[in-house]
């Protein structure tokens, strides 16, 4: 089931904005897809996000860290009860979507694969970068 509060993209990587998930029709999801030409197109999809005729238009849920790049600077927290984070470089996600950072401030080039699983990561603010 498509959830209007989550973020999606098409199978072929285009941006999607969900407008409705409760249309009384066999295609109950209405979404706006950004085309390759930059224009937006309105499409209807089945409740599971499948397009009725074009698999490239099927919806894929985007995880919270999908737009982070390896070696991007982040502020990481290890536990939900600790608010103060530490500066590290993003190292990807685990199979279940948890974020990882390279150990000891290293990068993909210098880490030899040593990574730590975190509770969360975020992009640094201007204040963090000082």
């Amino acid at each position: 089931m498509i959830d209007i509060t989550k973020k999606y993209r098409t199978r072929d990587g285009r941006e999607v904005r969900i407008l409705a998930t409760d249309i009384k029709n066999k295609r109950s999801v209405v979404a706006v897809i950004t085309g390759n030409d930059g224009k937006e197109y309105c499409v209807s999809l089945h409740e599971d996000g499948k397009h009725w005729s074009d698999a490239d238009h099927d919806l894929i849920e985007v995880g919270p860290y999908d737009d982070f790049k390896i070696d991007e600077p982040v502020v990481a927290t290890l536990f939900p009860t600790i608010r103060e984070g530490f500066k590290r470089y993003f190292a990807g996600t685990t199979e279940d979507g948890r974020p990882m950072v390279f150990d000891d401030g290293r990068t993909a080039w210098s880490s030899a694969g040593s990574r730590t699983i975190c509770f969360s990561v975020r992009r640094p603010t201007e204040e963090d970068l000082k």
Side-chain angles (χ1 to χ4, degrees):
M1 300 291 278
I2 297 299
D3 182 339
I4 200 165
T5 64
K6 293 184 179 177
K7 187 175 178 182
Y8 296 89
R9 62 174 172 76
T10 60
R11 186 173 303 283
D12 63 357
R14 291 181 278 159
E15 287 185 37
V16 173
R17 190 168 26 131
I18 306 296
L19 299 179
T21 58
D22 59 352
I23 304 299
K24 294 184 181 4
N25 189 307
K26 68 180 181 178
R27 293 191 296 264
S28 60
V29 175
V30 176
V32 173
I33 295 175
T34 303
N36 295 329
D37 58 2
K39 295 180 180 176
E40 294 183 325
Y41 301 91
C42 195
V43 297
S44 60
L45 305 116
H46 295 282
E47 67 181 13
D48 61 359
K50 302 276 188 229
H51 190 270
W52 54 277
S53 71
D54 185 349
D56 282 346
H57 287 85
D58 291 351
L59 302 186
I60 307 294
E61 186 177 342
V62 176
Y65 305 108
D66 285 359
D67 61 341
F68 282 70
K69 306 285 188 247
I70 299 298
D71 288 340
E72 180 177 344
V74 295
V75 176
T77 56
L78 291 179
F79 305 102
T81 55
I82 299 174
R83 295 282 179 223
E84 187 175 328
F86 53 96
K87 298 174 183 178
R88 290 291 185 267
Y89 292 95
F90 188 69
T93 58
T94 62
E95 285 184 16
D96 61 352
R98 294 186 296 163
M100 296 183 294
V101 294
F102 291 109
D103 290 341
D104 299 323
R106 295 181 177 169
T107 65
W109 187 70
S110 64
S111 75
S114 182
R115 299 175 288 189
T116 298
I117 298 171
C118 301
F119 172 71
S120 69
V121 300
R122 64 172 173 80
R123 289 188 168 91
T125 63
E126 290 296 322
E127 187 65 28
D128 293 327
L129 296 173
K130 292 181 181 180

